[in-house]
Amino acid sequence: GADRDREGLRAGRRARELMAGEPRVAVCFHGFMRTGAAMWWVARRLKQAGWVDVAMPTFGYHLRSIEKNAEVAAGSVRALMAKHPGARLDLVTHSYGGILARVAWAQHELPALYRGVLISPPNQGAQMAEWARSVLPVHRTGWDPLGQVRPGVPAHWPLPPGEIGILTGGTGTARGMNPLLGDDNDGTVRVDEARHEGARDFLVVNVQHTMMIMAPKVLDRVVGFLEKGKF
């Protein structure tokens, strides 16, 4: 009870500090084969910490090209900022959503971010995507939803403008959570695949890929970076 009370006081103080300056809003991009609802835990945590609005759009990664999804993403960002002129814009993404963000900001004239956190992004592409394509070679029919996250493919897209932190999962060992991936990993994305030289900070936590967006210690780190610019 006492711990919860102290955490409540800290959250209230952070909220007052945020509200004393420019209002903060955020947009969250979900991962592959998920919907915007998957980012509910992230949005809830941000609102508790004082963010005035958090958008959680849904993208049909398996239905449209990443360029088409980037158009939808850009529209969501513009709509959010139209509701809150002058607000500081933050970003939180999970997995494939991090690549979507890079494409959206690279191909559309969107406002610079104040800060953003990419959670388990396959920034250099993912070996897991290559394996999935070999098991289910639907790309041979002209439909290739994972083509943009093959090893090396997304590397040329810059990070969105702003202070970006990357938070990914791993065990600190060469086996990782999935020994078949050949290096430390969160079960889906390898630690070296998540890295990007443009990031301001980088952190590995011992949390599995799918659980990253709801694990309290991850959410605490996300809020910490968005508030301070470091993990």
Side-chain angles (χ1 to χ4, degrees):
D3 289 342
R4 286 195 296 270
D5 289 344
R6 283 193 292 271
E7 178 56 33
L9 289 172
R10 285 194 293 267
R13 184 171 61 251
R14 288 194 298 268
R16 289 191 295 273
E17 289 170 352
L18 285 172
M19 292 303 292
E22 295 175 336
R24 303 277 295 270
V25 299
V27 62
C28 299
F29 294 166
H30 63 85
F32 193 74
M33 298 301 289
R34 305 294 289 273
T35 69
M39 304 300 285
W40 181 85
W41 293 96
V42 176
R44 176 175 177 266
R45 185 69 177 81
L46 292 181
K47 289 178 179 179
Q48 288 175 340
W51 271 252
V52 299
D53 200 356
V54 181
M56 302 180 295
T58 292
F59 308 101
Y61 296 136
H62 58 297
L63 299 174
R64 298 185 292 268
S65 69
I66 196 167
E67 290 81 10
K68 289 294 184 182
N69 280 302
E71 291 181 14
V72 177
S76 297
V77 171
R78 293 186 183 111
L80 178 65
M81 297 310 293
K83 287 172 58 180
H84 305 279
R88 290 181 177 180
L89 174 63
D90 298 309
L91 168 75
V92 182
T93 69
H94 182 227
S95 195
Y96 194 106
I99 307 306
L100 173 67
R102 291 167 61 189
V103 176
W105 263 267
Q107 295 190 344
H108 298 272
E109 294 184 3
L110 296 175
L113 298 170
Y114 186 62
R115 294 191 179 114
V117 177
L118 311 187
I119 302 173
S120 292
N123 278 321
Q124 307 303 320
Q127 184 64 47
M128 184 66 81
E130 194 71 273
W131 287 354
R133 292 171 82 252
S134 66
V135 172
L136 294 172
V138 295
H139 56 282
R140 295 177 183 171
T141 68
W143 177 58
D144 193 10
L146 292 175
Q148 299 290 357
V149 287
R150 293 165 52 206
V153 173
H156 66 281
W157 288 312
L159 292 179
E163 297 180 4
I164 303 296
I166 296 173
L167 183 62
T168 197
T171 64
T173 70
R175 287 175 58 85
M177 298 182 193
N178 183 349
L180 298 178
L181 290 180
D183 206 341
D184 197 8
N185 64 82
D186 65 4
T188 302
V189 176
R190 292 178 9 170
V191 170
D192 62 340
E193 293 171 338
R195 293 187 183 276
H196 194 290
E197 63 181 8
R200 183 183 179 93
D201 203 356
F202 184 87
L203 181 68
V204 180
V205 294
N206 195 343
V207 179
Q208 189 269 346
H209 186 83
T210 302
M211 301 302 294
M212 292 283 284
I213 50 177
M214 60 187 75
K217 65 180 178 181
V218 172
L219 300 179
D220 287 345
R221 295 287 193 170
V222 169
V223 171
F225 183 89
L226 294 179
E227 289 180 344
K228 301 175 183 177
K230 61 182 180 180
F231 290 120

